[in-house]
Amino acid sequence: MRTATIKRKTKETDIAVSVNLDGKGVSNVATGIGFFDHMLDLLARHSGIDITVKAQGDLHVDHHHTTEDVGIALGQAVKQALGDMAGITRYADVHLPMDETLSRVVIDISGRPVLVFRVEFPRDKIGEFDTELVREWFHAFAMNAGITLHVETLYGENSHHISESCFKGLARVLRAAVAIDPRANGAVPSTKGQLGG
């Protein structure tokens, strides 16, 4: 079973995250931030990864610490669940439409964390959620999952749609890249024989 549970507690947040890479896309998410919960729910649904997130944070300050720390914990959980990454597909890309918006998301489960995030939001907030936190979450997730991740919105007008296309795009590339490639015969998909070095 490719599963992992991560607990992270600081003076700002108390977070427990569990993932099952071979799940059915079931989500059980409660962060206290409605829009963020929505993004994590659709991440689970469209990736096929079962995701549980329980987070308590200093929301009286703002949403930053909770959003970033969930990204850290979820990234660590995915990395742990991947183990030595033997047999995975590794690469994936998608163009993800959301109404008038189109985003391109490309992943390499390389063990080398890199984020390229070329996304602009027309508005500063989606409800009470700061749109700048979308990048913060993607950065925290990519760095802690140990993945190379490129996210670019090619065009879009609605900030909610733009964010949703990015999260759904990540979901779809994760679904493809973590999948076991039957032709790999359990080998690590690298000429080095290992990933991350």
Side-chain angles (χ1 to χ4, degrees):
M1 293 291 290
R2 298 190 298 165
T3 62
T5 297
I6 297 290
K7 293 185 178 179
R8 175 183 172 85
K9 187 170 185 178
T10 71
K11 292 182 178 179
E12 299 165 340
T13 61
D14 187 355
I15 296 169
V17 169
S18 296
V19 299
N20 177 0
L21 300 184
D22 302 306
K24 299 184 182 301
V26 175
S27 66
N28 186 1
V29 174
T31 68
I33 307 169
F35 176 76
F36 187 39
D37 287 356
H38 175 45
M39 294 298 103
L40 295 176
D41 284 339
L42 62 83
L43 178 64
R45 172 66 63 86
H46 294 282
S47 68
I49 298 171
D50 293 344
I51 297 175
T52 298
V53 177
K54 300 298 177 190
Q56 293 182 321
D58 55 358
L59 301 184
H60 63 286
V61 176
D62 64 9
H63 296 162
H64 188 284
H65 297 142
T66 300
T67 303
E68 182 177 34
D69 286 6
V70 167
I72 290 170
L74 193 56
Q76 290 173 348
V78 167
K79 183 174 183 178
Q80 184 175 311
L82 281 165
D84 65 4
M85 298 178 268
I88 64 167
T89 301
R90 180 177 170 177
Y91 298 99
D93 65 278
V94 68
H95 283 81
L96 200 293
M98 178 66 200
D99 294 352
E100 86 298 340
T101 297
L102 184 67
S103 293
R104 174 172 54 217
V105 183
V106 184
I107 193 172
D108 174 11
I109 301 179
S110 60
R112 298 183 304 277
V114 175
L115 175 68
V116 176
F117 194 81
R118 295 180 179 173
V119 180
E120 295 184 8
F121 292 94
R123 303 183 65 176
D124 293 334
K125 286 185 177 289
I126 303 170
E128 297 300 313
F129 189 81
D130 294 325
T131 51
E132 68 182 10
L133 294 181
V134 176
R135 186 192 187 283
E136 291 298 320
W137 184 87
F138 272 83
H139 183 263
F141 178 78
M143 294 304 105
N144 286 275
I147 60 176
T148 297
L149 184 62
H150 293 247
V151 182
E152 182 177 16
T153 296
L154 304 179
Y155 45 82
E157 300 173 4
N158 181 287
S159 292
H160 187 129
H161 294 166
I162 291 169
S163 179
E164 191 161 332
S165 70
C166 293
F167 275 89
K168 283 182 175 176
L170 174 61
R172 296 303 298 187
V173 295
L174 274 174
R175 183 183 190 115
V178 305
I180 299 299
D181 179 357
R183 299 197 311 171
N185 294 318
V188 173
S190 171
T191 54
K192 297 177 184 178
Q194 67 180 36
L195 290 168

